[in-house]
Structures are given as C-alpha cells and as structure tokens.
Amino acid sequence: MNKLKRKFLYLFLNFSDSIIWFLLYFSSSRLAITILKNKFWRCFKIKLTAEQNFFVKEKLRNSAVKLMHKNIFSSCLSRSVLFMIIFDIFGIYTKLYLGILKNKNQKKIAHAWLKIDQTKEFITPNYKKCSLLIEI
C-alpha cells in the first residue's frame, strides 16, 4: 500500500473513531448497548478470500494500535466499537468486552477490548490486566 493510501486510511479511521466517540459520549448507555447488540451494520458485507482476510486483519490490528493515543476525541470503547464494525463488515466476527482496569496508582478505570471469534486473538491492549464485566 503506498504512502498516500495509508495516510487516507489512517485519517478515515481517526475521523470515524471521533464520530463514534461523540455518539457514545452523548448517548445514553442503554441506547449504546442496544445498538451494539443489534449489530445493524452486518447487512453491509464484503466477501474476502482467506488470504485477503488475513491481510485485512493484520492491517486493522496495526491501525488499532497506532490510533491508541493520537486522537483527543477517542477512547478504548470508541476504538473497539470502530474496529468491531469494520471487522464485522469484512466477515471477521468479534466480541466486545467491557471491564475494569487498575492503573499505575491502583485506581479503577473502565476499559473496553476486542477479541476475534475465529482465532481468539485480542485486538485492543491491556486485556490481561482487566476484570470482565460485560461481553457484547
């Protein structure tokens, strides 16, 4: 992928992450969980071969890590939701987990992470340090 395409993809993901963050921030938690459980975006499917599927999964995982601290209108929840939607569109089913993480000062904070169903790989970091509360 050339440099311009990578830059465009990164800007698109960054913009989409900000939009999801605003939607989650300003909506009620009940509405957000209902939308996430219904997964209305699954009607938009892109069929891929096994090789393309692997390539897309690797590129998206790398993009998720790069997006971690670049955007002020972003959170682990908005990134997890964004990549859950994108993976679902490509036919790679994921599960979203919500839990509690202890930071360096032993203060509890909310955390969200993503796991790919087929390979059991985790996408968002810090999942090992969390206590699971909800699986979506």
Side-chain angles (χ1 to χ4, degrees):
M1 202 181 322
N2 65 28
K3 205 171 191 176
L4 184 62
K5 285 182 183 177
R6 272 186 281 181
K7 187 80 167 169
F8 179 73
L9 175 65
Y10 179 76
L11 289 173
F12 171 75
L13 291 174
N14 210 347
F15 179 71
S16 302
D17 185 26
S18 297
I19 289 173
I20 290 172
W21 183 85
F22 276 109
L23 290 173
L24 291 171
Y25 186 78
F26 291 112
S27 68
S28 69
S29 56
R30 185 173 292 196
L31 175 66
I33 289 177
T34 303
I35 290 170
L36 293 175
K37 283 187 175 181
N38 287 340
K39 297 184 180 185
F40 65 89
W41 54 83
R42 283 195 174 167
C43 62
F44 306 106
K45 289 274 188 197
I46 299 175
K47 297 210 185 265
L48 299 175
T49 64
E51 184 178 310
Q52 291 170 327
N53 200 336
F54 176 78
F55 180 75
V56 165
K57 188 170 51 174
E58 289 301 313
K59 287 295 180 186
L60 287 175
R61 182 184 301 120
N62 293 339
S63 299
V65 172
K66 287 179 185 175
L67 275 177
M68 278 185 57
H69 300 290
K70 304 288 185 185
N71 189 351
I72 59 171
F73 299 113
S74 179
S75 66
C76 54
L77 179 59
S78 64
R79 281 189 304 277
S80 295
V81 169
L82 170 67
F83 285 100
M84 180 176 70
I85 292 169
I86 293 172
F87 277 125
D88 276 355
I89 289 173
F90 284 112
I92 304 168
Y93 297 115
T94 58
K95 288 188 179 173
L96 176 67
Y97 295 95
L98 304 174
I100 295 177
L101 171 71
K102 285 187 180 178
N103 66 4
K104 295 174 187 170
N105 302 329
Q106 298 302 314
K107 185 178 177 184
K108 292 180 181 179
I109 54 174
H111 186 54
W113 64 99
L114 207 58
K115 182 171 96 173
I116 298 176
D117 280 349
Q118 298 138 342
T119 59
K120 309 295 186 214
E121 297 171 80
F122 288 91
I123 302 300
T124 314
N126 293 330
Y127 67 90
K128 290 181 182 175
K129 303 175 188 175
C130 291
S131 350
L132 176 65
L133 295 177
I134 300 173
E135 177 182 320
I136 298 175

